Amino acid sequence: MEQKLENIRKDATEKIEKALNTTELENIKNEYLSRKGELTNIKKNLKDLPDDQKRIIGSLSNEIFNSLSVLVEEKYKKLYNEELRQKLEKERIDISLPGSYTPRGKVHPLTQTVNEIVEIFEGMGFSLIKSENSPEVETEYVNFDMLNFPPEHPARDMQDTFYTQNASNVILRSQTSNSQIREMLNHKPPIRVISPGRVYRCEAVSARKNNLFHQIEGLLIDKDITFGDLKGVLNEFIRVYFGSMRPTRFRTSFFPFTEPSAEVDVQCIMCGGKGCRTCSGTGWLEVLGAGMVDVNVLKNVGIDPEVYSGFAFGMGVERLTMLKYAIDDIRLFFNNDVRFLKQF
Ligand code: DAH
């Protein structure tokens, strides 16, 4: 028995010395020192030995177990450190190398303005219109007729419209006001929506005009809505958008779909009302059109004007962005020159 134990010691010691990596060493450890290993087996069977042998074999096998454990432990540390060293060598990272540069994208300034304006109106209880109620390709009927533009009325010429060739009455919408009609046809009052989007007009492109631009339309229909409500909402919008309490001015105007109608001016943000180039010397900047929804429009969409009233407003996103950031050419928004875009 003693000889057998010494053989185990010898074999195991040799194997441990020869082990080339930690995995091999794990296996050797299992073979000799685990609960199913050879030494454990002998210790388990001690009880079957004669008494005088029990003590000798017992202490010898313990001693071998302990010294092998120490050997395994030491060898493990060596192998582990060597493996770690190799791994670090292989995966070496040169932290002084320049990183690979990924240019960061930015939200387009027009989108920023739309988001900002929508947020302001959401704060006053308006919600974003569903896109299906605000199509860019529209019928003349919804874009004009339903909005109370009479046929042949000169008001139609105020907005030079793009007609499509494949269907005579299908146009690119000239105003986001088409969404008023679709919203009212699809929802019963109370209505309180905001509707941003692209509009198209067949115009010569210049520093002030592009044939594609953006508008934001607002519509509120409920019982007992007055011009006072319109003024309150728009004054609040202007206060938040332009950042301080700026004087506003409601000027009488005309739109076929509102009565009465108004154009809203804000005191010039460049000169504070003294008169400058931006405001053409008037001291005022026109920022939006608005009015009480015309009774004819309510009738067109089947809303009873005896019960409900409401207001609408529309504003140009490019214009509001240009005023806020003192941009003097609308074409800058559409050229996609990153030197311009990354300033926002
Ligand atoms: N649709 C008008 C335009 O493009 C702007 C406008 C004026 C919209 C008055 C409105 C409004 O909703 O009430 O010139």
Side-chain angles (χ1 to χ4, degrees):
M1 195 45 124
E2 274 169 76
Q3 192 51 51
K4 192 175 167 196
L5 280 171
E6 286 305 338
N7 285 342
I8 290 176
R9 188 209 297 271
K10 195 165 144 276
D11 289 351
T13 308
E14 251 172 48
K15 283 191 189 164
I16 292 168
E17 269 164 18
K18 283 195 192 141
L20 292 174
N21 54 51
T22 49
T23 327
E24 248 177 61
L25 191 63
E26 278 317 332
N27 291 338
I28 298 165
K29 186 178 170 187
N30 281 339
E31 186 180 342
Y32 292 98
L33 303 177
S34 73
R35 269 194 287 152
K36 287 188 183 143
E38 283 192 46
L39 277 175
T40 322
N41 244 346
I42 292 174
K43 285 201 271 185
K44 262 191 225 155
N45 296 330
L46 278 180
K47 57 182 185 320
D48 304 330
L49 294 176
D51 280 349
D52 58 335
Q53 285 278 302
K54 260 187 211 162
R55 229 170 35 93
I56 299 170
I57 299 301
S59 77
L60 182 61
S61 57
N62 274 341
E63 188 260 317
I64 293 178
F65 187 93
N66 290 339
S67 64
L68 286 180
S69 300
V70 172
L71 281 184
V72 166
E73 191 67 22
E74 282 168 356
K75 181 79 179 186
Y76 189 89
K77 270 189 206 146
K78 250 204 227 157
L79 289 175
Y80 176 82
N81 284 336
E82 176 57 19
E83 282 169 17
L84 185 64
R85 198 189 59 76
Q86 283 178 10
K87 196 164 174 228
L88 289 177
E89 183 67 32
K90 211 167 75 193
E91 296 173 4
R92 185 187 214 111
I93 294 170
D94 183 350
I95 54 166
S96 68
L97 283 176
S100 55
Y101 172 70
T102 321
R104 274 225 247 150
K106 279 204 158 185
V107 178
H108 192 281
L110 291 179
T111 312
Q112 286 184 36
T113 301
V114 170
N115 291 345
E116 192 183 337
I117 293 175
V118 167
E119 215 172 281
I120 294 171
F121 282 103
E122 279 177 344
M124 290 190 272
F126 287 75
S127 49
L128 210 53
I129 203 167
K130 285 210 178 101
S131 57
E132 68 241 38
N133 287 333
S134 184
E136 287 173 36
V137 179
E138 184 55 282
T139 57
E140 226 188 326
Y141 181 67
V142 173
N143 192 86
F144 288 125
D145 298 63
M146 290 287 274
L147 283 161
N148 201 37
F149 288 68
E152 313 304 330
H153 192 280
R156 292 198 189 214
D157 300 336
M158 275 162 46
Q159 306 171 358
D160 302 299
T161 309
F162 279 115
Y163 285 77
T164 60
Q165 283 178 334
N166 28 5
S168 61
N169 294 320
V170 175
I171 61 170
L172 297 181
R173 70 172 169 192
S174 61
Q175 49 183 356
T176 45
S177 307
N178 67 327
S179 59
Q180 291 187 34
I181 298 299
R182 292 187 178 271
E183 181 67 20
M184 287 190 283
L185 286 174
N186 291 326
H187 284 112
K188 288 200 165 59
I191 291 171
R192 198 183 283 211
V193 289
I194 194 92
S195 169
R198 294 190 193 108
V199 300
Y200 303 83
R201 288 184 200 177
C202 184
E203 273 168 327
V205 174
S206 69
R208 300 182 138 256
K209 286 185 172 168
N210 199 49
N211 42 33
L212 172 156
F213 59 101
H214 299 74
Q215 288 186 333
I216 298 182
E217 194 83 10
L219 176 70
L220 186 149
I221 308 281
D222 207 339
K223 290 177 180 155
D224 304 322
I225 299 301
T226 68
F227 201 91
D229 298 312
L230 170 62
K231 281 188 87 168
V233 165
L234 292 181
N235 276 333
E236 172 65 4
F237 159 70
I238 289 167
R239 186 185 69 80
V240 180
Y241 182 77
F242 287 104
S244 60
M245 199 56 178
R246 293 203 164 269
T248 55
R249 177 170 88 168
F250 286 66
R251 254 185 308 110
T252 315
S253 185
F254 171 78
F255 300 102
F257 41 91
T258 46
E259 181 58 36
S261 304
E263 274 171 301
V264 183
D265 300 341
V266 61
Q267 190 182 64
C268 182
I269 55 171
M270 298 295 168
C271 63
K274 290 199 262 312
C276 67
R277 239 184 49 186
T278 305
C279 58
S280 317
T282 62
W284 295 95
L285 299 165
E286 184 203 322
V287 289
L288 51 86
M292 301 306 290
V293 177
D294 196 291
V295 168
N296 287 336
V297 173
L298 292 176
K299 284 184 188 159
N300 286 345
V301 295
I303 291 177
D304 185 351
E306 297 293 329
V307 182
Y308 290 104
S309 57
F311 60 78
F313 54 88
M315 57 189 96
V317 178
E318 281 77 0
R319 181 165 169 76
L320 283 167
T321 312
M322 289 167 83
L323 288 177
K324 187 153 177 178
Y325 298 106
I327 297 164
D328 58 6
D329 193 326
I330 194 172
R331 291 168 292 194
L332 288 165
F333 292 121
F334 302 99
N335 293 340
N336 283 336
D337 184 333
V338 285
R339 287 171 305 176
F340 169 73
L341 296 176
K342 74 180 176 194
Q343 295 176 53
F344 299 89

